[in-house]
């Protein structure tokens, strides 16, 4: 589909397949190489190079692509800890070195987070307490929801404004720390020169990710 569908739809589909373990990077490269001379292969290459299996939803894929090239050090799904090393939250994405987090509130997010017996209002209150803990530690949180999906420039501008504020002389990084998740990407090279050794290396990386 990456040869014929819009870029966002293609990247979101690849992200989802990688995230759910339905395929692995080596298999995607093998499939791409088999169709290298087919019509639309440059679009497929672009989508594969943009994919990252850490994204947990199409909305997170959209946000990542909207912020592409804005700031080095942009990450997905990183864990935030307080000064005592206690887990506070897993951020959807952001620039942790600059104390910036973005969160995507999809239509089904709060249903997914709702424990048995909890109301939607209780889930929302819990999420608000979580955000307040992040803010008290010094993190800045930029929220987006499904209505923002039609305004990529608006979301990018809001995030850029917060990013710009971290360049002030009196800016201080958040207290506590964070831990990054290893990217799950497709190593598409220019030109494609993957031999058996490279495929075996990528397959082994994928096995280690799921076995660990």
């Amino acid at each position: 589909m990456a040869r014929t569908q819009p870029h966002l739809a293609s990247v979101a589909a690849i992200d989802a397949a990688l995230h759910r373990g339905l395929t692995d990077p080596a298999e995607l490269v093998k499939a791409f190489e088999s169709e290298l001379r087919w019509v639309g292969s440059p679009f497929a290459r672009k989508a594969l190079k943009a994919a990252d299996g850490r994204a947990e939803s199409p909305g997170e894929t959209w946000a990542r692509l909207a912020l592409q090239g804005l700031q080095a050090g942009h990450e997905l799904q990183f864990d935030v800890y307080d000064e005592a090393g206690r887990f506070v939250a897993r951020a959807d994405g952001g620039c942790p070195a600059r104390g910036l987090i973005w969160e995507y509130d999809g239509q089904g997010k709060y249903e997914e987070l709702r424990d048995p017996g909890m109301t939607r209002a209780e889930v929302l209150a819990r999420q608000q307490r979580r955000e307040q803990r992040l803010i008290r530690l010094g993190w800045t949180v930029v929220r987006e929801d499904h209505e923002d999906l039609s305004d990529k420039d608006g979301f990018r501008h809001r995030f850029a404004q917060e990013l710009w504020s971290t360049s002030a002389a009196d800016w201080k990084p958040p207290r506590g720390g964070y831990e990054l998740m290893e990217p799950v990407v497709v190593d598409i090279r220019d030109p494609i020169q993957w031999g058996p050794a490279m495929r075996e290396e990528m397959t082994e990386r994928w096995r280690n990710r799921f076995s660990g």
Side-chain angles (χ1 to χ4, degrees):
M1 75 175 276
R3 293 186 296 105
T4 59
Q5 298 302 308
H7 183 64
L8 174 58
S10 297
V11 178
I14 299 169
D15 283 357
L18 290 171
H19 181 74
R20 297 171 185 173
L22 301 178
T23 187
D24 62 63
E27 283 299 318
L28 288 173
V29 169
K30 183 178 179 180
F32 174 73
E33 286 181 329
S34 69
E35 301 178 359
L36 187 59
R37 298 183 183 279
W38 289 25
V39 174
S41 63
F43 300 113
R45 177 194 294 273
K46 182 181 178 182
L48 288 167
K49 292 182 74 170
D52 190 326
R54 292 176 296 177
E56 295 184 343
S57 70
E60 292 183 16
T61 298
W62 176 89
R64 182 180 85 249
L65 295 180
L67 300 176
Q68 202 168 43
L70 188 62
Q71 171 70 28
H74 183 267
E75 298 287 345
L76 294 176
Q77 301 297 327
F78 55 90
D79 292 339
V80 176
Y81 299 88
D82 65 14
E83 303 98 319
R86 293 171 299 216
F87 176 79
V88 175
R90 172 167 289 183
D92 289 342
C95 297
R98 308 309 301 169
L100 283 175
I101 288 172
W102 58 259
E103 297 272 85
Y104 175 69
D105 295 331
Q107 290 178 302
K109 179 173 183 175
Y110 295 113
E111 288 300 316
E112 294 172 2
L113 295 173
R114 184 158 65 95
D115 294 331
M118 288 188 70
T119 66
R120 180 181 173 85
E122 289 172 330
V123 175
L124 182 58
R126 185 171 66 181
Q127 287 296 100
Q128 289 173 336
R129 290 194 297 272
R130 168 184 175 274
E131 183 168 323
Q132 286 304 311
R133 290 183 67 192
L134 289 168
I135 292 172
R136 284 196 296 270
L137 289 171
W139 291 88
T140 297
V141 181
V142 178
R143 290 203 165 274
E144 51 152 341
D145 59 30
H146 65 281
E147 294 181 355
D148 294 314
L149 298 182
S150 61
D151 187 16
K152 179 183 76 172
D153 291 339
F155 172 64
R156 183 180 175 92
H157 178 69
R158 284 192 292 122
F159 194 85
Q161 282 187 311
E162 298 295 349
L163 188 62
W164 179 81
S165 68
T166 66
S167 63
D170 59 349
W171 178 80
K172 295 180 180 179
R175 301 184 306 280
Y178 59 87
E179 184 176 354
L180 303 179
M181 181 184 292
E182 184 177 354
V184 183
V185 297
V186 183
D187 191 358
I188 291 288
R189 301 188 175 185
D190 298 312
I192 299 295
Q193 292 181 339
W194 278 44
M198 177 61 72
R199 289 201 184 88
E200 181 60 31
E201 176 188 338
M202 291 301 296
T203 301
E204 186 63 27
R205 287 188 200 173
W206 187 255
R207 289 190 189 126
N208 290 341
R209 175 176 180 262
F210 279 94
S211 62

